[in-house]
Amino acid sequence: MSMQESGENYLETILILQNKNGSVRSIDVARKLSVSKPSVSRAMGILRDDGFITMEANGELVLTEQGRARADAIYERHRFITRFLADVVGVSPETAETDACRIEHIISEETFDKIKEYLAEK
């Protein structure tokens, strides 16, 4: 299933916040991404309709199995690309982080797999 970069960013953010705080609400996502609550509400509706999240009665956002798998894959790309850019290419950690956020959505599986292989050898 094709997903826009913004949807992937929302899933990744939910995963990161769940890992950090244990639970996530829309306001947490809005604060983390510096976006409006209505923007998050719209995005969460789309992610829910696509089967990536559920919304509990208390407002908690929960990744479904499908959502968790997608978020894990995106976050894995983010971590490896950030590490590659900082440790191998030598860009600053801040630049590596910023660039990884963009690259993680467009990089091919082949290129990503080669980056992982390269880092595994180091």
Side-chain angles (χ1 to χ4, degrees):
M1 167 183 292
S2 178
M3 178 183 289
Q4 293 184 343
E5 180 177 332
S6 63
E8 290 184 345
N9 282 334
Y10 281 112
L11 287 176
E12 182 181 25
T13 299
I14 293 168
L15 175 68
I16 291 167
L17 291 171
Q18 273 184 344
N19 289 343
K20 180 180 177 188
N21 303 330
S23 66
V24 182
R25 297 168 55 91
S26 292
I27 191 68
D28 303 320
V29 175
R31 287 180 182 140
K32 177 77 172 169
L33 294 176
S34 299
V35 296
S36 70
K37 180 92 166 67
S39 293
V40 173
S41 180
R42 181 175 178 279
M44 295 307 106
I46 293 168
L47 292 174
R48 183 194 63 229
D49 292 346
D50 289 346
F52 291 107
I53 66 165
T54 60
M55 290 187 255
E56 303 296 316
N58 65 0
E60 184 179 349
L61 305 173
V62 179
L63 293 168
T64 63
E65 188 175 317
Q66 175 186 2
R68 179 71 186 215
R70 186 67 171 264
D72 282 339
I74 297 161
Y75 191 47
E76 177 187 46
R77 286 175 174 235
H78 181 96
R79 290 188 331 267
F80 275 96
I81 295 167
T82 300
R83 185 173 150 214
F84 180 80
L85 293 174
D87 296 353
V88 177
V89 178
V91 299
S92 71
E94 297 80 18
T95 299
E97 182 75 26
T98 300
D99 288 350
C101 281
R102 302 293 307 274
I103 295 169
E104 68 194 30
H105 304 287
I106 60 169
I107 193 170
S108 70
E109 282 298 320
E110 179 184 4
T111 301
F112 179 65
D113 288 344
K114 292 297 183 183
I115 288 172
K116 280 175 56 174
E117 285 176 28
Y118 181 84
L119 292 174
E121 295 171 1
K122 297 296 170 199

